[in-house]
Structure formats: C-alpha cells, structure tokens
Amino acid sequence: SMITSCLIFLASFSNGDGIPSINNINQIRTCIDKVPYSMVVHLPHYVEHFDKENLYTAVRIGWCESRGKGNAYRSEDDDSGVMQFIPSTWNWIAEKNDLPAWDEWVILHHGQPYEGPLLGVDERFLQAKKVQYVPYYNIKMASHLAEDTYSKVTFKDWNSSKWCWGNPSYYEKRWRDEGF
C-alpha cells in the first residue's frame, strides 16, 4: 500500500544517513503528511522489526499507546515505552527471545544497542538506559509478541487502545487534531 511504502521510505532518512536528493522532495512531501511527526523517528525500528504487512498497524498502535514517547509511563500498571509494555509481558517475551529483562540497564550508541568495546568509543554518543524505555527494544518486543509468540499476527495485547488504532481513518483524524 502507499502508506507502507511511505513508512519504509521515511525510515531510510530517519537514521541520519540518508540525504534527500531533489528527486525525493515530492515523495517526502507526500509521505511526511501520512505519519504523525512524533512517530517518524521510530520508523527505522518498525521497518526493521515488523513484517511489511503489519507496519502501519504497529505504527498506529505505538502512537495510540504513547503518542510516540519512548519514555512514556503509566503508573497504574507500569505500562512503559512506545508500545506500553507491562513488566510480566515484557519478561515473558524477553525470556522466550533471549532479550534483556525489564528494568535491565543497556548501553546505547546513537540510540542503538551497543555491546562492543568501550575503549576508543566517543563517550558523547553512549547512553545507559532502562531497556523498556529504549524504542529499539520496545518495538522489537512488540514484534515478537504480535508476530512470533502466537504463531500468527495478532495485536490483541493492545485491545485496550483499539478504539484509537483499529480504524485508520479515526486514527488519522485523531493525530491530526492533536497536532503530533
């Protein structure tokens, strides 16, 4: 679909490596109007972790759950991160996929997981963060939960926000009305 193509196209620029050429300007204008601004920075993670046919749904869920905030937190049940995981679900998926457990600190380099040697690395680009607040991991966990764990695609773990993401037209009107 056009929206999926736009998500993939925009993801190619979000990591800072892509420099738009004059030939891309019209496509950028068309696509940037299809995605909430707060979600554009996360598109490379969605493209990396979700199957193409699930990208648009996953991005809608991320916006509806957190408005694109990687540090989103809801104290009622410890929902955290872009996709709003609770600790028990996070740890279940982490254990099944050999990923860091809830509240585990991870080292990031330019926002990506970093496990290499620290000697010689420019420390200005290193960051330590609790894993559930790292968009890379939060979105990766969501893809494992939605696409792998149930052996089929299901977004039932996000049913509480389906009123927002379940209807693409309603979702689009909502994010445009809210301005991000």
Side-chain angles (χ1 to χ4, degrees):
S1 76
M2 180 185 173
I3 188 69
T4 300
S5 298
C6 281
L7 295 173
I8 294 168
F9 174 74
L10 289 172
S12 71
F13 295 107
S14 296
N15 63 12
D17 294 338
I19 299 171
S21 70
I22 196 69
N23 298 334
N24 296 126
I25 298 299
N26 285 337
Q27 190 172 0
I28 290 170
R29 283 187 190 128
T30 299
C31 289
I32 203 72
D33 192 46
K34 305 277 183 225
V35 184
Y37 180 75
S38 62
M39 294 303 289
V40 172
V41 69
H42 304 305
L43 292 180
H45 305 309
Y46 283 100
V47 168
E48 179 178 353
H49 298 300
F50 276 92
D51 293 341
K52 199 185 251 188
E53 63 272 11
N54 299 322
L55 275 175
Y56 187 42
T57 301
V59 169
R60 290 194 322 262
I61 290 170
W63 185 86
C64 290
E65 289 284 338
S66 68
R67 300 308 190 258
K69 296 176 188 134
N71 64 346
Y73 176 75
R74 199 171 66 105
S75 61
E76 290 83 359
D77 50 10
D78 281 340
D79 284 358
S80 299
V82 174
M83 299 297 286
Q84 291 289 277
F85 272 88
I86 60 172
S88 59
T89 303
W90 182 282
N91 286 333
W92 176 53
I93 298 303
E95 189 175 315
K96 288 173 72 75
N97 294 281
D98 195 28
L99 291 165
W102 183 268
D103 268 350
E104 195 172 311
W105 287 87
V106 292
I107 303 291
L108 306 172
H109 187 255
H110 291 290
Q112 297 290 326
Y114 185 76
E115 296 175 7
L118 297 177
L119 191 62
V121 173
D122 190 334
E123 292 178 17
R124 293 175 299 169
F125 302 112
L126 290 176
Q127 178 183 31
K129 206 170 192 181
K130 286 188 176 184
V131 70
Q132 66 268 24
Y133 296 110
V134 176
Y136 172 89
Y137 282 113
N138 202 277
I139 293 164
K140 181 178 180 65
M141 286 289 195
S143 74
H144 283 304
L145 181 60
E147 295 180 337
D148 302 338
T149 301
Y150 300 116
S151 301
K152 61 183 182 343
V153 176
T154 178
F155 291 100
K156 72 179 184 175
D157 291 277
W158 294 276
N159 276 345
S160 64
S161 64
K162 193 168 185 173
W163 60 271
C164 175
W165 61 265
N167 178 329
S169 297
Y170 177 79
Y171 152 80
E172 182 177 336
K173 180 182 181 337
R174 185 142 182 120
W175 72 258
R176 289 183 189 285
D177 287 350
E178 290 187 26
F180 61 98

